[in-house]
Amino acid sequence: MAETFVIAQGGGPTAVINQTVVGATLEAMKRYPGCRVLGALHGVRGIRDGRFVTLSDLTETELRRIAATPGAALGSTRDKPDAAYCEKIMKGLRAVGADAFVNIGGNDTSGTQAILRDASGGGMTFMHAPKTIDNDLMENDHTPGFISAGEMVAGAFLSVDLDFRALPGVYVGIVMGRHAGFLTAAAAAWRLDEESGPHLVYVPERAFERARFIEDVKATLARHGRCLVAMSEGVSDAEGRSLVETLVPAEMQERDAHGNIKLSGTDLGQAIERILAEDLAGQRARVDTFGYLPRGNIATISETDAREAFDAGAFAVASVEKGDGSVALQFDGGQTVCRLVELDAVAGKTRHMPDDYLLAGENRLSAAGLAYLDRLLPRRYDPAKPFV
Amino acid sequence: MAETFVIAQGGGPTAVINQTVVGATLEAMKRYPGCRVLGALHGVRGIRDGRFVTLSDLTETELRRIAATPGAALGSTRDKPDAAYCEKIMKGLRAVGADAFVNIGGNDTSGTQAILRDASGGGMTFMHAPKTIDNDLMENDHTPGFISAGEMVAGAFLSVDLDFRALPGVYVGIVMGRHAGFLTAAAAAWRLDEESGPHLVYVPERAFERARFIEDVKATLARHGRCLVAMSEGVSDAEGRSLVETLVPAEMQERDAHGNIKLSGTDLGQAIERILAEDLAGQRARVDTFGYLPRGNIATISETDAREAFDAGAFAVASVEKGDGSVALQFDGGQTVCRLVELDAVAGKTRHMPDDYLLAGENRLSAAGLAYLDRLLPRRYDPAKPFV
């Protein structure tokens, strides 16, 4: 009989991650009357430092309001715990008498749960609930946070395409995504017709070649009079080196403690602007870095995404007595369902966009890719076709 | 008795400029049964080249659908007609037997109308209907397109502020605006409380100093643990040189035919990233270029903005028998009303953000500035306050 739950959030916030916190909290309060649900502030760091809020002291009205708020209400962290850090987390969990720890996040977060499970020596349940706009978790059809972020990107490209019909040119939108191109591909979800942008989609799963890029842009300009490009910040060359590494002068590159190069920011956009200015001199070309705008955008929260995020949290708590695991959103052919999978099936792994979501040898989505987007991102707007 | 109307769109598209086209068209069809309303493709260029669509052949249902679509359905242009070009436009207008020409756009577009009026020798009415997300037209309280773009910027900053509460750092969002800071200031419209970002607002109306900027960021980090900055792409130094000119290497600068330096794009963002990396080494800092995302965003079309844009077009046609002029959206103390003003009161002039909208000597909005935003951009969302 679980009496104390600890809930934490890890990695980048999303538009709906607070739904998962509240789904877990309300499910615990329903199943285990009188239980305590503690929210750790700034993820495992809060557990290590003994910083908690008591979520079970809040009313359902207060909790529902937090659920509807983008961002990570408990705060987040990018700490990757080593053995010593894990010992401190375990100590912190024992100090509050935790029976179960629900950690909400992406593959790093599921990895943390696997490490803690191995270090715990039993007596405590470690659950991972999925969250990532990157949509890159194994075992999942899609992940909470992706649909809302995808709707922001789809709506933005639909809008900028209409803008560039009126004042033609080349437009490149740089979208978050280090290893997986799903969010960048979402730019194509709401294309009006074959004329519509994005006309070219560059994702980390396909090698980028400068000469080929320029050829494709020229061909698109010849065909449509404008060229809209959706590009992942993580696009790489044939050797797997990110474009930022290959195009940005080394002294301008920024790396984190793990040696990962910083991809967000304007570096890639700047490099692409230079390429276009050099290879397509005189051609009007504009580059925007979407960066943080899709991640937790309050204007594009999807009700489906919100509901699935809430359900994932509730399912994590409902599954506690089955033992450690990771909640996965799977598609049963008709609808999305929550299933409990092994932590190790998700921990530290990355799901890439299936190769057949792009046309063979082309930087355009295939019927399979568009069908996936249609299922997850049904068209929300039906604009008229412009005269130009 | 007007029998033939020509309507054109100029400059950057917006989320609601098509409402103005349709407002003018439906008003003409109502007031002048049997009249012809011609839409010029790509602005005055379409008149010069004889490229038109007959808007009065469309049903009201078809027209209303176009009205609800962002972008410029007729296409737009940035051509600035000289005397010879004007003669060709006049020839094109006479060729279709135009009685009145309604040109929808910003101060360049109103300038074109003034030039045509002077060249016409009478017999034709030249009307300007307002449009600009920059909100920089004289005689106007605000302009069609600004509210929708402002809501996108306000919602984005509200969202990114929630994101950065969870994972603290410095965030800079670069917003369109060459001479006027209204759209950048809109970032502050939906702040939750005194803790909320944007904490600093840099607009073209206030000189930018690198040392002062870094001081302000440091002080904000010390006070709030994070620092969100809204910055206009047109921010300039004390000598009035744009930051892009002063910070970006000359060989990397791009200028248009008129010698105006290109401000949109990643140049300024890149320069700001470098400043932060150099002067605040080790501090997490991210820069996004909003660019085209607020301009015609289909996800943030304001009903008020749409209605006012429609009314401005209808009022332009309703005023044709009064003679040449520019439609201005004015505030009568209670509500927004359309009034007809002299073309020369608007043509080629720029309205700047009132100095008292910012606190004296500070890069923060004053009560007066916030009151203006509250009136135009009433809070659309009411998120819960995060625990961190």
Side-chain angles (χ1 to χ4, degrees), chain A residues 292-293 296, chain B residues 155-165 171 228 288:
Chain A
Y292 290 80
L293 301 180
Chain B
F157 265 86
L158 167 59
S159 305
V160 175
D161 184 59
L162 290 168
D163 189 306
F164 274 63
R165 282 176 191 249
Y171 179 82
L228 275 81
D288 290 328

Side-chain angles (χ1 to χ4, degrees), chain B residues 289-345:
Chain B
T289 56
F290 283 41
Y292 290 80
L293 301 180
R295 191 151 95 170
N297 201 306
I298 201 164
T300 61
I301 300 176
S302 150
E303 283 179 22
T304 302
D305 197 17
R307 190 183 63 251
E308 291 177 350
F310 183 95
D311 292 348
F315 188 85
V317 166
S319 307
V320 156
E321 288 165 26
K322 295 198 180 72
D324 312 310
S326 177
V327 177
L329 289 192
Q330 301 187 341
F331 183 63
D332 72 2
Q335 60 182 346
T336 301
V337 294
C338 290
R339 296 212 179 97
L340 191 66
V341 302
E342 290 295 325
L343 274 172
D344 300 317

Side-chain angles (χ1 to χ4, degrees), chain A residues 42 65 69 73 76 159 163 166 262 264-267 270 273-274 284 286 288-289 291-292 295 298 383-384 387, chain B residues 42 65 69 73 76 159 163 166 262 264-267 270 273-274 284 286 288-289 291-292 295 298 383-384 387:
Chain A
H42 290 293
R65 216 164 143 249
T69 300
S76 190
S159 305
D163 189 307
K262 187 196 86 172
S264 59
T266 60
D267 290 338
Q270 186 78 349
E273 276 196 7
R274 298 286 158 252
R284 177 182 183 245
R286 298 291 183 259
D288 290 328
T289 56
Y292 290 80
R295 192 151 95 171
I298 200 165
F387 299 104
Chain B
H42 290 292
R65 219 167 139 244
T69 299
S76 190
S159 305
D163 189 306
K262 187 196 85 171
S264 59
T266 60
D267 290 337
Q270 187 77 350
E273 278 196 3
R274 298 287 159 250
R284 177 183 183 240
R286 297 293 183 259
D288 290 328
T289 56
Y292 290 80
R295 191 151 95 170
I298 201 164
F387 300 104

Side-chain angles (χ1 to χ4, degrees), chain A residues 326-348:
Chain A
S326 178
V327 177
L329 289 191
Q330 302 186 342
F331 183 63
D332 71 2
Q335 60 181 346
T336 302
V337 294
C338 290
R339 296 212 179 96
L340 190 66
V341 301
E342 290 295 324
L343 273 173
D344 301 318
V346 179

Side-chain angles (χ1 to χ4, degrees), chain A residues 1-7 19-39 54-58 60 63-64 99-102 104 127 310-321:
Chain A
M1 167 70 182
E3 286 171 351
T4 299
F5 292 85
V6 170
I7 299 176
Q19 292 279 359
T20 309
V21 170
V22 171
T25 301
L26 289 173
E27 183 70 15
M29 291 164 75
K30 192 176 74 187
R31 283 188 175 251
Y32 305 98
C35 75
R36 255 190 337 154
V37 182
L38 302 177
T54 305
L55 295 165
S56 47
D57 284 348
L58 302 176
E60 174 160 357
L63 287 166
R64 296 272 179 191
D99 300 294
F101 172 30
V102 177
I104 307 160
M127 281 292 195
F310 183 95
D311 292 347
F315 188 84
V317 165
S319 306
V320 155
E321 287 165 26

Side-chain angles (χ1 to χ4, degrees), chain B residues 186-205:
Chain B
W190 293 345
R191 295 173 73 222
L192 287 182
D193 53 37
E194 284 310 303
E195 288 286 308
S196 304
H199 307 96
L200 300 169
V201 175
Y202 295 87
V203 296
E205 289 88 348

